[in-house]
Each structure stands twice: as structure tokens, then as C-alpha cells.
Amino acid sequence: MILMHEIKISLPFYKIAYAIFFTVMLSLVRGVVYSYEIGIASEPLMAILAASFCADTYTREISSRRSEILRLYPMKKRISSIYKRMLIQELFLLSMAAIGYGLFYVFQNPLPMEATGSAEIEIHQFLIYFASAAVSLSFWGLLSNLLSCLFQNMWPGIGGCLMLWLFANSSLGDRYLGPWNLFSYAFRSIENSGDVSWIYGKIVCILISALIIAAMPKIIQKRGAYYGNENRRFNCHFQK
């Protein structure tokens, strides 16, 4: 019952609708020729979807005036609720990333990576993409939620992620960051399949995500108190 309540809050209809629309349109509009291009085309754009999707995970409580109820919860339960909602959203987005990968085959029928067209190679390629997408979606979702909490508004969360995204997903970012780039998977060397240095970029994402998770309780505690004070001042003024 509690889980269903969290799902309803985390995945309102409009979010589900625009995520599905985005995923379908991506597989239709973003052209690919070879199957290895699917991950390159999909991962960065799914990342920016995660940033917009998760930005209001906590701030929506404020705009909907549910923050006073949430503040009655013990801090441990409040943080647990936020993490549950993040997990629900991330799992949904990861399922969209997997479905979107398959839709490229449905709509565009790309050529296999190898001339043999081995199914084993294609599955291995998908599993690498899936792991990379899981790390990327988690990082961008957590970062947007963190920035939204810090600035008390979802738009700085989306805007801050967009600026970082534009740098990381560019030739400039690839030139200066190399394998440490947040989108190292998309910029990896396709010709040299033995080069796995792109994993360094994913390690960076994992480490930053861990720091965000560790810092979130303190940030929510401080910002939650601020919101609570703001709401009380608003209510007192209204009553006068």
C-alpha cells in the first residue's frame, strides 16, 4: 500500500506520457546505420530526460503544499521516502532506455556490428549499453534533484544539468576529459573493442552519485526546515 502510494507520487501520468513519447520519438528521429550506434545515440539523450524527470522529486512536495505533512515524519523516514521515489523513477527510466534500444531495431533495422551478425555479440553489446545507461541515468537524476533542493526550485536543477550536459556531450568535453568524460561510453573507440578505458568515466559518475546520496540527508534537513518556515510565515500572513 505504501509502495503504491510512492509510485503514484513518483510517476504521475504526465511524466509517464512524456517519457514514452520522448523514447519513441528518439528511436524514430535519431538515425542510425549500425547497431553499435544505438547506444551512442540513446545514452546522452536519455540522460537529459532523467535530469528533467527527477528534478522535482522533492520540490514537488513544496509546490503541492505536502511539505508540512512530510516534515512531520522522522528525518530517517523522510529520506527513505525520497530515496524510494528516486529508485522508482530510475527503474522506470531504465526500462524506457531498454525499450528504446529495441525500438531502434523495430523502426530502423540497423546493420549488425559484425559482418556475421552474431546474436551473442548483439546481446553483449546491449548489456554493456544497459549497464552504462543505468549509471548515467542514476547520476543525472540524482544531480538534478540535488541542485533542485539546493536552489529550492526544479528549474535550476534542470538548467544546471543542461549546462554540464552540453559540455560533457561535446567534442570539447571529449578532448579535455577523454576517458574521464561523463559520456565516455558514447565517445569510446568503436574500432578498438579491447579498449575499456571509457569505464573511467562511469566510475566518476558512480563516485559522484555516492557523494550525492551521502549529502542528500543533510541538504534535505536544512532545506526542508527552510521550506517549513516559509510555509508557516505564509500561513500566518494569510490568517492575518
Side-chain angles (χ1 to χ4, degrees):
M1 191 68 181
I2 295 176
L3 181 60
M4 289 303 299
H5 175 71
E6 298 290 4
I7 291 174
K8 286 180 65 176
I9 293 175
S10 304
L11 299 176
F13 175 76
Y14 77 91
K15 276 193 171 186
I16 295 174
Y18 82 68
I20 293 175
F21 177 78
F22 180 92
T23 303
V24 173
M25 290 303 297
L26 174 61
S27 60
L28 282 169
V29 174
R30 182 64 165 84
V32 297
V33 177
Y34 296 98
S35 59
Y36 69 80
E37 295 177 322
I38 298 175
I40 296 173
S42 181
E43 190 209 18
L45 293 176
M46 292 302 296
I48 202 63
L49 173 63
S52 63
F53 199 89
C54 300
D56 66 345
T57 301
Y58 184 70
T59 58
R60 188 166 63 249
E61 296 292 337
I62 312 308
S63 61
S64 63
R65 298 295 180 187
R66 289 195 297 260
S67 60
E68 289 295 329
I69 297 175
L70 188 66
R71 290 184 72 252
L72 296 176
Y73 293 170
M75 179 53 63
K76 186 176 181 180
K77 186 174 181 180
R78 197 190 315 176
I79 298 301
S80 175
S81 178
I82 298 300
Y83 285 162
K84 284 178 183 176
R85 294 174 192 181
M86 284 296 302
L87 180 61
I88 290 167
Q89 292 176 124
E90 294 289 357
L91 289 175
F92 173 76
L93 289 169
L94 190 56
S95 68
M96 286 292 98
I99 292 170
Y101 192 97
L103 289 177
F104 274 96
Y105 283 94
V106 173
F107 296 133
Q108 301 195 38
N109 192 27
L111 298 173
M113 183 176 178
E114 300 288 343
T116 58
S118 170
E120 183 178 349
I121 293 175
E122 295 298 308
I123 292 172
H124 181 257
Q125 182 176 265
F126 166 74
L127 291 176
I128 293 176
Y129 160 77
F130 189 78
S132 176
V135 173
S136 189
L137 292 172
S138 298
F139 169 78
W140 291 96
L142 286 167
L143 180 62
S144 67
N145 184 55
L146 174 73
L147 294 175
S148 296
C149 290
L150 284 173
F151 291 97
Q152 309 151 30
N153 191 292
M154 64 177 284
W155 295 111
I158 296 174
C161 285
L162 180 60
M163 288 189 290
L164 178 61
W165 183 89
L166 288 172
F167 171 72
N169 189 38
S170 68
S171 57
L172 190 66
D174 181 41
R175 184 187 314 155
Y176 284 101
L177 299 178
W180 300 96
N181 192 351
L182 300 172
F183 291 119
S184 56
Y185 168 81
F187 287 103
R188 73 194 189 282
S189 174
I190 301 299
E191 293 78 13
N192 184 9
S193 58
D195 181 13
V196 293
S197 61
W198 60 270
I199 292 178
Y200 298 153
K202 294 307 162 186
I203 293 174
V204 171
C205 289
I206 292 172
L207 292 176
I208 297 175
S209 297
L211 291 174
I212 292 173
I213 292 172
M216 191 63 70
K218 194 68 175 177
I219 293 171
I220 290 178
Q221 184 178 19
K222 287 187 175 181
R223 290 305 180 181
Y226 174 84
Y227 284 134
N229 292 333
E230 286 296 300
N231 286 340
R232 280 196 292 272
R233 284 199 291 270
F234 173 83
N235 291 334
C236 290
H237 177 75
F238 180 78
Q239 289 172 2
K240 289 180 181 179

